[in-house]
């Protein structure tokens, strides 16, 4: 069996959590949101930003790297493609390698969200679901 | 016979000794990498691909991040036995490629699907964004499940039950893993605008609802979990080994939440938890 060594990807923990939150919000996956919102806050994403994503609103006042990631992820998840300007902004901030890692994160969280949503995986008792059903959760 | 094997072996040895490794990689926004451009971290991954099954479409993209290449191989690759039938697999892949409007996946897989027994009627309907009308019962269950899941991000009780009757719970998890992989491939290819080969023309038009829902879907408001918890007496040795591994704490940082679901497919479960610990 392969050893379970940890890999380290250069995409920062803060940006990885931002990608996770956007993908989780796109899938309205209550359990993953519950698991990730605390982790996201610990990586340095501010609580106002996290709450805005939970409410399905477009956050204001993002840093340049956060804004490039937000636009890239939301455009890809809403329309299945990205415009040149969006791609180039993400590449400028994160280089090709960072863009590829964002895509890997989205792919991973989509897969886990599908498993949990199909199951209707329950929240721990006493925890209320935080994500409302919205027509467009990632504007 | 033996002579023939030897001559193939000698040919393989001499040709690998003479030729420099040749990577034939293509892309658009991610330009095709050459072997000479690769970093020491990327080279072993390319060498393994060149000496094994070759490079698949997204290799040029994922190689940008050697860590991600390895992790994706763990999650999605390295499986030997087919989990669903080829026909079921290909129907799921075509549906996913149509939802994402991924021209390259469609170009490759509509032929494979026809060979695997998906009918031309079904392939044309999916290409044109119509609901196919002549599906076999297992195909209808897969198609309905995927149209609901991809469009609405959830599935109705009716769609879940119909699929469970056709495939059983384990293969529902395998189907989701397959779709998860092809969604990842699709989004990477779409971002890259991965080029079609030679003189192929794109066959998928951009349409608003490429994978239409049935008009009759009714989503129940129930919120109880659907996969039934497994008791230890019901588990296979492979499932017990997976559970032992999780309980040993060697998968640090992994998402333990969906364990009950992942236990249906322990190979996938291990890989997912491993990726979660990245």
């Amino acid at each position: 069996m392969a050893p379970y060594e940890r890999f380290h990807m250069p995409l920062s923990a803060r940006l990885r959590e931002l990608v996770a939150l956007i993908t989780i919000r796109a899938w309205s996956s209550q359990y993953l949101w519950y698991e990730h919102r605390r982790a996201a806050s610990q990586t340095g994403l501010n609580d106002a930003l996290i709450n805005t994503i939970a409410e399905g609103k477009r956050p204001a006042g993002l840093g340049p790297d956060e804004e490039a990631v937000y636009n890239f992820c939301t455009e890809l998840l809403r329309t299945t493609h990205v415009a040149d300007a969006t791609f180039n902004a993400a590449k400028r901030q994160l280089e090709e390698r960072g863009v590829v890692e964002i895509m890997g994160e989205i792919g991973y969280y989509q897969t886990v969200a599908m498993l949990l949503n199909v199951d209707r995986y329950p929240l721990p008792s006493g925890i209320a679901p935080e994500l409302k059903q919205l027509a467009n959760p990632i504007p | 016979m033996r002579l023939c094997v030897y001559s193939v072996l000698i040919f393989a040895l001499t040709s690998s000794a003479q030729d420099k490794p040749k990577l034939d990689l293509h892309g658009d926004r991610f330009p095709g990498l050459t072997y000479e451009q690769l970093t020491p971290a990327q080279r072993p991954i390319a060498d393994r691909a060149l000496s094994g099954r070759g490079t698949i479409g997204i290799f040029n993209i994922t190689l940008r991040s050697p860590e991600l290449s390895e992790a994706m191989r763990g999650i999605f690759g390295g499986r030997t036995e087919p989990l669903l039938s080829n026909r079921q697999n290909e129907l799921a892949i075509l549906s996913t490629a149509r939802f994402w409007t991924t021209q390259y996946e469609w170009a490759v897989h509509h032929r494979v699907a026809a060979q695997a027994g998906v009918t031309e009627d079904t392939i044309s309907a999916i290409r044109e964004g119509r609901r196919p009308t002549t599906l076999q019962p297992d195909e209808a269950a897969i198609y309905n499940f995927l149209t609901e899941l991809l469009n609405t991000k959830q599935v109705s009780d009716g769609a879940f039950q119909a699929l469970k009757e056709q495939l059983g719970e384990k293969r529902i998890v395998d189907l989701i893993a397959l779709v998860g992989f092809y969604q990842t491939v699709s989004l990477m290819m779409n971002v890259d605008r991965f080029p079609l080969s030679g003189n192929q023309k794109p066959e998928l038009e951009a349409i608003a609802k490429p994978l239409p829902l049935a008009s009759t879907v009714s989503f129940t408001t129930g919120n109880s979990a659907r996969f039934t918890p497994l008791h230890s007496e019901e588990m296979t040795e492979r499932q017990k080994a997976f559970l032992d591994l999780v309980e040993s704490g060697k998968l640090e940082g992994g998402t333990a939440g969906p364990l009950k679901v992942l236990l249906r497919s322990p190979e996938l479960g291990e890989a997912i938890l491993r990726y979660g610990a990245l």
Side-chain angles (χ1 to χ4, degrees):
Chain A
M1 190 178 294
Y4 288 90
E5 78 272 31
R6 291 186 75 136
F7 294 111
H8 288 282
M9 298 208 272
L11 193 62
S12 72
R14 177 177 54 91
L15 293 178
R16 289 185 72 187
E17 280 302 323
L18 181 59
V19 176
L21 289 183
I22 294 164
T23 310
I24 293 164
R25 178 63 268 205
W27 282 81
S28 298
S29 189
Q30 305 291 353
Y31 184 85
L32 283 179
W33 185 268
Y34 158 77
E35 267 200 345
H36 274 270
R37 73 160 301 138
R38 235 171 331 158
S41 159
Q42 283 160 5
T43 63
L45 288 176
N46 76 54
D47 287 336
L49 167 61
I50 298 171
N51 292 333
T52 308
I53 294 174
E55 289 160 15
K57 292 182 192 149
R58 215 187 141 74
L62 295 174
D65 55 351
E66 292 168 346
E67 185 162 19
V69 168
Y70 185 87
N71 289 339
F72 181 91
C73 295
T74 54
E75 199 173 308
L76 182 58
L77 288 167
R78 272 199 322 268
T79 71
T80 70
H81 290 73
V82 294
D84 282 341
T86 312
F87 177 80
N88 290 331
K91 187 173 150 184
R92 213 164 29 242
Q93 289 293 328
L94 303 161
E95 304 184 342
E96 283 187 351
R97 178 179 175 149
V99 176
V100 170
E101 286 172 2
I102 293 174
M103 298 191 292
E105 290 289 295
I106 295 175
Y108 171 73
Y109 283 107
Q110 287 205 117
T111 307
V112 180
M114 284 196 286
L115 289 166
L116 294 174
N117 285 7
V118 165
D119 185 37
R120 284 194 306 226
Y121 194 82
L123 288 166
S125 62
I127 303 288
E130 221 184 315
L131 306 177
K132 296 204 178 87
Q133 290 299 326
L134 299 170
N136 176 15
I138 48 167
Chain B
M1 184 64 196
R2 177 165 294 181
L3 253 181
C4 177
V5 170
Y6 281 149
S7 58
V8 168
L9 192 64
I10 289 165
F11 175 75
L13 287 172
T14 50
S15 63
S16 70
Q18 284 166 3
D19 298 340
K20 278 186 178 165
K22 197 171 177 191
L23 271 182
D24 188 25
L25 299 179
H26 306 280
D28 183 349
R29 284 166 167 165
F30 295 104
L33 293 170
T34 63
Y35 194 82
E36 290 69 35
Q37 286 177 295
L38 302 185
T39 65
Q42 290 169 321
R43 286 206 175 180
I45 297 168
D47 289 338
R48 190 180 59 216
L50 286 167
S51 66
R53 282 186 295 180
T55 57
I56 58 162
I58 56 165
F59 187 80
N60 179 57
I61 305 173
T62 54
L63 191 57
R64 260 72 187 179
S65 172
E67 292 84 354
L68 180 68
S69 291
E70 292 295 301
M72 280 192 65
R73 182 166 174 268
I75 296 182
F76 302 119
R79 317 184 73 164
T80 47
E81 91 268 36
L83 302 162
L84 305 161
S85 76
N86 284 342
R87 182 175 50 83
Q88 292 167 341
N89 259 329
E90 292 300 326
L91 179 70
I93 294 168
L94 285 187
S95 303
T96 309
R98 177 63 268 199
F99 181 81
W100 283 85
T101 312
T102 304
Q103 304 293 352
Y104 184 89
E105 284 300 296
W106 183 270
V108 170
H109 280 278
H110 80 85
R111 286 188 194 88
V112 185
Q115 284 160 8
V118 182
T119 66
E120 293 294 344
D121 258 16
T122 298
I123 295 172
S124 312
I126 294 175
R127 181 180 60 236
E128 292 160 18
R130 291 183 285 115
R131 287 180 64 80
T133 51
T134 53
L135 295 171
Q136 298 180 35
D138 62 334
E139 293 173 340
I142 291 170
Y143 180 84
N144 288 331
F145 182 89
L146 293 183
T147 56
E148 290 186 23
L149 182 58
L150 294 174
N151 283 301
T152 72
K153 319 294 187 216
Q154 51 177 327
V155 294
S156 63
D157 284 342
F160 184 83
Q161 286 308 326
L163 190 62
K164 188 171 160 181
E165 277 158 31
Q166 289 293 329
L167 300 183
E169 284 189 354
K170 176 185 187 302
R171 280 186 291 161
I172 293 180
V173 175
D174 293 330
L175 174 70
I176 295 170
L178 178 80
V179 171
F181 175 68
Y182 278 95
Q183 284 209 103
T184 308
V185 171
S186 292
L187 71 88
M188 287 184 172
M189 287 190 160
N190 287 359
V191 166
D192 184 30
R193 288 191 306 226
F194 194 82
L196 290 168
S197 45
N199 51 3
Q200 283 179 326
K201 293 208 169 64
E203 286 188 49
L204 303 176
E205 284 177 40
I207 45 182
K209 296 267 175 225
L211 202 64
L213 276 173
S215 51
T216 53
V217 177
S218 80
F219 284 93
T220 49
T221 51
N223 57 4
S224 56
R226 285 168 168 147
F227 288 101
T228 42
L230 284 178
H231 295 289
S232 53
E233 315 85 73
E234 304 171 84
M235 287 182 205
T236 64
E237 290 307 310
R238 185 69 187 79
Q239 286 171 323
K240 285 180 189 163
F242 171 53
L243 205 55
D244 287 345
L245 182 72
V246 173
E247 284 170 356
S248 74
K250 283 186 191 150
L251 297 164
E252 58 173 313
T255 301
L259 187 59
K260 179 197 66 162
V261 183
L262 294 177
L263 198 50
R264 305 283 159 191
S265 183
E267 300 85 0
L268 170 73
E270 254 181 58
I272 285 220
L273 292 191
R274 189 178 167 200
Y275 184 96
L278 281 181

